[in-house]
Amino acid sequence: MGRKHILADHADYRITLLQAGNAPAARVVVSFGGQPSDLSDVGFGSSFALENGWDNIFVAQRHGTQYQGLSLQDFRAAVQPVIQGRDAITYGASLGGYCALYYGGVIDARILAAAPMLPAWKPLRIRRYADLEIRHLELAQAPRSSRSPVVLFDPERRQDHFLVNRMVRPAYPDVRLVRIPFAGHTVLLTLAEMRCLKPLIRGIIERDEIVPFQHPDPRHSVWHMENARKLMRTDRDQAIRHLEASLAIKPSKQAFSMLVSALLGERRTDDLRRLLDQSKAAGDKALTPVPAVQRELAAAGLPF
């Protein structure tokens, strides 16, 4: 890394310039931390940008604020002088993907968003974020980039599909949607596991080109897990088979928790006991139910 310079430091956000070399690069990637992140100088996209010789402006939020403390005006004031005359791309995933879209317009950047999500957006009706005040403009009312954004997402994920159709498409009718069925919300992690991510992202950033890449299929654990998620309400037996196939390919806390919950729901107590005994014997942390499912087990008299 060449130089680091704090462009803005606030109780709710921090914006940091990370320079790849001794002189400013022709290209700068403006990346945003995701929802679990906190105030930091580096984060999502920083290492990838720097290893490719691109400068990085990393934008961080105070944990839990969903960037509502960072106005468009303050963002532009911090970033615009640095990106002037350079190829600027805003880039993020989930909450960071939403930010790439929201803030990218005010600096007329190229935009790359993966599974964009603003959990506190009221139309999503996510109860645990109901009290978080939304200070941002609606995306369709905010300044928009003159360039067509690229959005990668899993159309089988209900909330992701809803946000893309109800928030993104009204703002950007020309959006280039890259649909990756059964890749999950963490679509970039899925592509990374499949060794498709870096060539895809480089193609978009360097050449504004969406290169061909492999999509998840029955050989991949996430494909089975996301099929199970879709089937859970309509065909739980088939969902269970998908979850067992997912875990056979790769142990996962999420898939394991879903399987435990499904077996509980089907009252398949003997199968559930065997599964829990096997997971304890394996000693694999990935084969541990999440706290909410552990509470379900305890309520059923099967403490883990």
Side-chain angles (χ1 to χ4, degrees), residues 175-220:
V175 62
R176 289 173 285 171
L177 298 176
V178 182
R179 298 174 175 86
I180 312 175
F182 303 113
H185 180 65
T186 53
V187 58
L188 296 187
L189 292 179
T190 300
L191 293 175
E193 185 177 320
M194 295 168 58
R195 302 183 184 276
C196 301
L197 181 62
K198 287 186 177 182
L200 176 63
I201 301 304
R202 282 197 193 101
I204 295 168
I205 291 178
E206 292 180 342
R207 303 182 301 280
D208 200 28
E209 175 189 355
I210 300 168
V211 300
F213 64 96
Q214 181 185 2
H215 285 222
D217 61 35
R219 294 170 295 174
H220 304 109

Side-chain angles (χ1 to χ4, degrees), residues 118-304:
L118 177 60
W121 189 48
K122 301 313 175 188
L124 288 171
R125 298 180 181 178
I126 301 178
R127 189 175 302 172
R128 64 181 176 275
Y129 304 119
D131 294 335
L132 181 58
E133 179 188 0
I134 296 294
R135 302 178 192 171
H136 287 183
L137 300 171
E138 283 290 333
L139 188 61
Q141 298 170 355
R144 282 171 275 180
S145 175
S146 62
R147 274 73 73 84
S148 169
V150 176
V151 173
L152 317 173
F153 77 112
D154 179 353
E156 300 292 341
R157 273 295 188 112
R158 182 181 59 83
Q159 289 181 339
D160 292 8
H161 185 268
F162 179 82
L163 186 137
V164 166
N165 279 298
R166 289 283 300 275
M167 179 194 286
V168 179
R169 294 183 74 174
Y172 287 101
D174 61 345
V175 62
R176 289 173 285 171
L177 298 176
V178 182
R179 298 174 175 86
I180 312 175
F182 303 113
H185 180 65
T186 53
V187 58
L188 296 187
L189 292 179
T190 300
L191 293 175
E193 185 177 320
M194 295 168 58
R195 302 183 184 276
C196 301
L197 181 62
K198 287 186 177 182
L200 176 63
I201 301 304
R202 282 197 193 101
I204 295 168
I205 291 178
E206 292 180 342
R207 303 182 301 280
D208 200 28
E209 175 189 355
I210 300 168
V211 300
F213 64 96
Q214 181 185 2
H215 285 222
D217 61 35
R219 294 170 295 174
H220 304 109
S221 60
V222 70
W223 184 90
H224 288 285
M225 185 174 70
E226 294 302 324
N227 269 278
R229 190 187 308 279
K230 183 177 181 180
L231 290 165
M232 198 64 79
R233 292 183 181 178
T234 58
D235 189 344
R236 196 174 281 172
D237 283 340
Q238 183 67 14
I240 287 170
R241 287 193 286 273
H242 273 297
L243 290 167
E244 290 170 341
S246 178
L247 290 167
I249 296 169
K250 180 183 176 183
S252 154
K253 184 183 286 283
Q254 190 176 7
F256 183 77
S257 300
M258 289 171 64
L259 179 56
V260 169
S261 189
L263 291 173
L264 265 174
E266 290 294 290
R267 300 182 181 179
R268 289 170 51 175
T269 306
D270 291 343
D271 291 338
L272 180 55
R273 289 184 190 277
R274 278 193 292 272
L275 177 68
L276 296 175
D277 288 344
Q278 289 168 3
S279 71
K280 290 174 184 176
D284 188 338
K285 291 183 179 180
L287 299 177
T288 304
V290 298
V293 176
Q294 290 192 34
R295 291 192 290 272
E296 289 180 32
L297 285 170
L302 294 164
F304 186 81

